[in-house]
Amino acid sequence: MEQTFRQRLKWQAILFLARRLPPCKVLLPLVSEARERPLTMREKITLKLHLFTCEACRRYVAQVEKISELVKPKDEETSTAEPTEKLSDDARNRIKAALEAAAHNKH
Amino acid sequence: MRSKEAINQLTALPPASDPLEWFERYGDYLFAYARRRIRDQSAAEDLVQETFLAALSAKQSFSGKSSEKTWLTGILKHKIYDYFAKNSRHAELTPEEADLSGYNHLFERDDEWNGHWNDKYAPADWGDDNNRASPLRNVEEDEFQTVFSNCLTGLPERIANAFVMREVDGLTSAEICVVLTISTNNYWTMMHRARLHLRQCLEINWFCAPNGSQGEKV
């Protein structure tokens, strides 16, 4: 009984806030900008309150962070993974010839 | 003569000082690196060639402090940024780059909550035990890179470049604005669009893609 009352209260608070805050579409650029610059106090509070009301946007924040982690190079230097794309034979021969010519001119 | 050659072969393998040997070893790697950043294939080939030519003439300056691969990648990276700078003639966003209307439907609703996520497109639960969201094994890493590259091609090229410089290469906002000669505001718009697009594309094609298939491209 107690639990349901608190849940109802939370739901009322969420609705109250959500009706007064700008919608997701308007606030989402702030999620991205928070990664680029310090937000103003006003922006921080608006965003925090919105995130309290909106599960989809909470996921968005976490997923943007997750993507950022995943695309960071994992030590490409020591990676033994095959290159995702290889030079064509044409390009290979052209570059080799250019290198040979340059090396020759140098000596 | 013979024995000298034999000795050379034995001793010359790690640090190869011959640019042709460098090319044999790292040519494909550098090309793939350039291609992840540059859509124009022949431009990527040219930059790889320029990199090795630069390496040849700067051979003496290679200190051996970093690996050859790191050194060559560093040269290529600079050439790529020069290329971006040369190709970034519009200081402002082009109408195509600034156009976010392609994402309007994500926030269109029939009820009083118009402007909030449409349930159909709202971020899905990627799952805590989704192994595609945890650190990737090598095999998956290759697969992920392919999906990621495909998703990047869904963005205007400069926006994709900005995202790669920021999140993959780790440049600062200020550095990227200089390379692309854009204002900070425009840079923020670009990054917002990139994140909106990539999140959705990666959700469909990676995080929530049925196993063994790469789904459809957005």
Side-chain angles (χ1 to χ4, degrees):
Chain A
M1 213 46 194
E2 168 83 359
Q3 191 63 20
T4 32
F5 176 70
R6 276 169 63 179
Q7 272 172 358
R8 263 206 330 255
L9 205 65
K10 188 179 171 188
W11 186 236
Q12 288 302 320
I14 286 175
L15 281 178
F16 177 86
L17 284 170
R19 288 214 170 87
R20 277 153 189 85
L21 292 166
C24 308
K25 189 182 177 182
V26 177
L27 289 176
L28 274 184
L30 285 186
V31 172
S32 178
E33 282 173 39
R35 305 180 69 83
E36 309 297 333
R37 65 174 171 95
L39 298 183
T40 66
M41 190 51 80
R42 196 193 161 86
E43 287 169 334
K44 266 189 211 163
I45 294 171
T46 314
L47 188 58
K48 267 243 159 74
L49 288 176
H50 176 74
L51 291 178
F52 169 69
T53 69
C54 180
E55 191 191 12
C57 285
R58 285 200 297 275
R59 278 190 188 154
Y60 185 86
V61 171
Q63 292 175 353
V64 159
E65 169 66 27
K66 171 61 68 189
I67 290 168
S68 169
E69 280 166 27
L70 278 184
V71 301
K72 291 270 170 307
K74 324 258 158 336
D75 215 357
E76 276 184 279
E77 307 293 326
T78 55
S79 161
T80 51
E82 280 288 298
T84 42
E85 201 178 340
K86 293 191 173 182
L87 283 160
S88 67
D89 289 341
D90 261 8
R92 191 181 306 280
N93 292 333
R94 203 168 56 234
I95 295 174
K96 259 194 204 164
L99 275 174
E100 268 160 9
H104 187 75
N105 284 341
K106 231 183 146 193
H107 294 306
Chain B
M1 197 60 197
R2 260 258 147 119
S3 64
K4 203 180 162 193
E5 248 179 50
I7 291 168
N8 269 345
Q9 276 200 342
L10 277 175
T11 53
L13 249 175
S17 51
D18 174 15
L20 268 175
E21 178 65 30
W22 284 342
F23 178 63
E24 290 300 336
R25 283 195 206 172
Y26 309 119
D28 283 329
Y29 164 79
L30 290 179
F31 177 64
Y33 184 96
R35 276 292 272 166
R36 280 200 296 277
R37 291 159 176 81
I38 294 176
R39 285 179 197 178
D40 181 343
Q41 184 185 330
S42 66
E45 290 169 359
D46 287 349
L47 291 184
V48 171
Q49 174 167 330
E50 281 177 35
T51 299
F52 283 103
L53 287 175
L56 175 69
S57 60
K59 216 164 102 177
Q60 270 67 32
S61 77
F62 174 58
S63 63
K65 270 185 205 136
S66 53
S67 78
E68 289 162 347
K69 204 173 174 183
T70 312
W71 183 60
L72 291 167
T73 310
I75 299 176
L76 174 62
K77 208 185 248 182
H78 278 106
K79 301 225 169 270
I80 291 174
Y81 296 155
D82 286 346
Y83 173 83
F84 285 169
K86 242 185 278 164
N87 277 279
S88 195
R89 273 155 306 200
H90 311 276
E92 296 311 308
L93 294 188
T94 63
E96 195 232 341
E97 287 169 335
D99 181 19
L100 283 163
S101 64
Y103 304 93
N104 280 344
H105 65 286
L106 304 181
F107 308 101
E108 264 160 20
R109 300 175 62 105
D110 297 330
D111 56 16
E112 55 173 324
W113 299 105
N114 193 25
H116 292 268
W117 284 102
N118 180 316
D119 296 336
K120 212 167 128 197
Y121 306 109
D125 185 2
W126 289 357
D128 289 332
D129 51 353
N130 181 345
N131 57 14
R132 297 196 150 194
S134 43
L136 303 168
R137 283 175 284 119
N138 250 350
V139 196
E140 286 171 338
E141 177 58 34
D142 287 357
E143 229 187 293
F144 174 75
Q145 285 300 336
T146 311
V147 175
F148 176 50
S149 302
N150 285 341
C151 284
L152 279 173
T153 58
L155 287 166
E157 188 161 17
R158 270 204 318 177
I159 298 183
N161 293 343
F163 185 83
V164 169
M165 282 191 271
R166 178 76 182 106
E167 298 284 13
V168 183
D169 295 344
L171 265 61
T172 64
S173 328
E175 288 167 330
I176 297 168
C177 290
V178 170
V179 171
L180 297 180
T181 54
I182 48 169
S183 69
T184 323
N185 269 308
N186 284 338
Y187 165 73
W188 291 335
T189 308
M190 282 182 164
M191 291 303 283
H192 171 55
R193 177 164 176 188
R195 291 186 170 115
L196 206 53
H197 170 82
L198 292 171
R199 193 216 65 81
Q200 193 192 16
C201 184
L202 288 171
E203 173 168 304
I204 296 171
N205 298 297
W206 180 255
F207 294 104
C208 298
N211 266 343
S213 103
Q214 315 223 325
E216 284 168 53
K217 226 177 89 179
V218 171

